[in-house]
Amino acid sequence: MLYFFQQDDLAQTALEVEPVVEEKTLSMFDLMMSGGLGGQIIIGILFVLLFVAVYIYFERLFAIKAATEVDQNFMLQIKDSVLNGNIEAAKIRCAQTNSPVARLTEKGISRIGSPLEDINTAIENAGRLEVYKLEKNVSILATIAGAAPMIGFLGTVIGMVLAFHALATSSGQAEMGVLAEGIYTAMTTTVAGLIVGIIAYIGYNHLVVKTDKVVHQMEASTVDFLDLLNEPA
């Protein structure tokens, strides 16, 4: 009887002295900032690239969206003015519309009376300028999409070098905290670089698709205008 009583006392005492283990959680910011100075520098560079990528994406998105907003009756009004011989009214209508389609049409109207091939060439040259305006700074997104993961991998290499350097200088008995700092640098910069690269890559491809739609719209309007000039009087 005494034996069982002593066993119960020992079990209760063990439960009382058992340490309570608190689970620690790291926020994303803490995780990225725990990689040491090298990791923080890489993260800072990637943050700047992310800001630039987001700014360019939205700036170009709004610009392209504005370029696609064309009145559905625009070409009909131009057609009526040209067929009635009111060229000045057609030019004024184009000048009042701020869109690539209107500027290409105005370029063609200004060449009326020249050979059709010359008109087509003038419109094509103006179209190249409009496409260049639409694609302004979009190539920077492509550069960020390719450079961000590489910068992240650079941080990975730096982190692993730090970890192995700590092992080498301590004769294989480095503290776990020193090794963990190098590994943190390696992992967090890789994650950050991939995130920035993915965002820039998706943004770049979305803008390319939107730009292609505007280019198709300009080509369609050019065909309509040239067909208008080919109509019998």
Side-chain angles (χ1 to χ4, degrees), residues 80-198:
D80 291 338
S81 298
V82 172
L83 292 179
N84 293 328
N86 195 352
I87 305 300
E88 288 301 323
K91 290 182 179 180
I92 293 174
R93 182 69 180 91
C94 292
Q96 292 174 345
T97 304
N98 184 21
S99 69
V101 171
R103 287 189 285 271
L104 292 184
T105 305
E106 183 178 12
K107 179 65 68 174
I109 292 174
S110 65
R111 295 293 192 275
I112 289 180
S114 302
L116 194 61
E117 184 178 351
D118 294 343
I119 297 176
N120 187 28
T121 301
I123 293 176
E124 287 181 353
N125 292 334
R128 293 190 185 95
L129 294 176
E130 294 297 331
V131 172
Y132 174 78
K133 292 177 183 178
L134 291 174
E135 294 178 345
K136 180 183 177 182
N137 295 330
V138 175
S139 60
I140 297 178
L141 274 181
T143 302
I144 293 176
M150 295 176 66
I151 294 175
F153 293 146
L154 174 62
T156 301
V157 175
I158 293 174
M160 298 308 296
V161 168
L162 291 176
F164 283 110
H165 176 73
L167 280 175
T169 55
S170 62
S171 301
Q173 297 180 355
E175 295 181 1
M176 290 302 299
V178 177
L179 294 177
E181 183 175 324
I183 296 173
Y184 264 130
T185 302
M187 296 299 101
T188 55
T189 55
T190 300
V191 172
L194 289 175
I195 290 175
V196 175
I198 290 171

Side-chain angles (χ1 to χ4, degrees), residues 1-13:
M1 186 71 175
L2 180 60
Y3 173 76
F4 289 109
F5 178 75
Q6 291 176 345
Q7 290 290 332
D8 292 339
D9 286 345
L10 290 174
Q12 184 176 359
T13 303

